[in-house]
Amino acid sequence: MAQDERGQRRDEQVERARAADPADRRFAAMRGCERVLSKSRSLTLRERLAELAAGAEQAYDLDQRPDTYGNGVVEALEERVAGLLGTDAAAFFPTGTMAQQVALRCWADRTGDRTVAMHPLAHPEVHERFAYSQLTGLRSVWPTRRPQLPSAAEVADFAEPFGTLLLELPLRDAGFVLPTWEELRATVAAARARDAVVHVDGARLWETVPHFGRSLPEIAELADSVYVSFYKTLGGVSGAALAGPEEFVAQARHWRHRYGGQLYEQWPAALAALAGLDRELPRLAEYVGHAKTVAAAIAGALAGVPGARVYPEPPHTHQFQVWLPVAADALNEAGVRQAEQTRESVFGLWHEPGLPGLSFTEVTVADEALTWTPADVRAGVARFLDHADLKRAD
């Protein structure tokens, strides 16, 4: 098909999407983009299937039979994760929420203490509908309310007893923030001094290596158990793994079955995870490095916009937040219009977490962002500000 015909067809798809569901309009606009700064271009089911097939061909022997209740390719993925993290074993879970609940439940059974210390912005508090209390009868306590992980002093001096300390690395809802390596070791030591076990919510643990300057096994060694995700960084379909000592993982497998996680076949998720480990893991240091360049360029482009902020600056991982004093609906509309009219996308979805009219978005720097120079970023942000009718002060 000729280039002009493809362009006309894409324009027609955009026009149809405008009259349909807003999510369909956004999907069509993002899919039509030629350049994407945050995350990656939207793909159809057909494109996702083709991508999976291409990656899986190198990741696993596709002439093997499909898995049944967790053997085959699922076992291969579990062994790969345990090897990467340096743990005795790992168990695949269909969701991270299930993996987290099982981990906390197992440690409560083992310690005899049903209290879990965590941050008020931790994933189980914000994104899991309080499953730890509703399903397991656990309770949480908060050693700190500051938008960062608890310090060693806060853990040591906390007045209430607890059996498990959950540390989310990085703390996503605080801006993907991380402590220093020395701070992390001190916090873990403080928990150990209280005879508490340490569970790491490491959904995005993969990209913490450049910040800490330590290998994945060195980071995982600090904890008694670690959860990792296969789609949040690695671009997988779904799924997670829970890693730790052999006896703990064996117990977790029993609870996985009881929670409904023993699926008949899980090869699409397992293959996508293996392909993601092959494709993305070697590039994460490059993403993290370029995120610092992108964040600085965005901050420069937003200079003079009252209330605008990039946080943290520089980013601790390849993800960070951008804040603007504008309603989220207006910013989302501006982003869609920019994608439709210029075929470029700078920001993803905007949200209002607290005060109305104060919005933030999460920027994820991955493969497609690597071609963006600082000048490209500043120009793209300037065009976004024009679409949002945001003026910079002189």
Side-chain angles (χ1 to χ4, degrees), residues 2 75 147 187 236 238 297 315 319 372 384 387:
E75 286 182 335
T187 296
S238 61
Q319 297 178 287
W372 289 66
F384 174 81
H387 281 90

Side-chain angles (χ1 to χ4, degrees), residues 67-82:
D67 61 290
T68 305
Y69 294 122
N71 61 12
V73 66
V74 176
E75 286 182 335
L77 174 61
E78 291 172 339
E79 292 171 3
R80 176 84 178 273
V81 170

Side-chain angles (χ1 to χ4, degrees), residues 1-12 32-34 343:
M1 184 182 295
Q3 182 69 33
D4 57 343
E5 292 178 354
R6 285 197 297 268
Q8 181 180 355
R9 184 176 177 182
R10 181 167 49 193
D11 292 341
E12 291 173 352
C33 283
E34 296 171 349
R343 292 175 181 166

Side-chain angles (χ1 to χ4, degrees), residues 91-106 118 122-136 138 166 168 172 199-204 227-232 238-242 252 255-256 259-261:
F92 180 82
F93 280 78
T95 72
T97 296
M98 185 185 295
Q100 295 264 81
Q101 302 317 309
V102 166
L104 297 180
R105 181 167 205 144
C106 288
M118 65 179 79
H123 201 275
E125 295 282 37
V126 180
H127 299 290
E128 297 180 12
R129 295 182 181 270
F130 306 105
Y132 65 86
S133 62
Q134 296 296 313
L135 300 181
T136 311
L138 305 182
L166 182 149
E168 183 177 332
R172 181 258 185 102
H199 170 69
V200 165
D201 175 343
R204 298 171 174 84
Y227 140 64
V228 292
S229 174
F230 295 125
Y231 77 91
K232 291 177 180 175
S238 61
L242 190 58
W255 279 110
R256 178 184 64 187
Y259 271 69

Side-chain angles (χ1 to χ4, degrees), residues 235-250:
V237 173
S238 61
L242 190 58
E246 186 70 55
E247 186 179 359
F248 167 83
V249 174

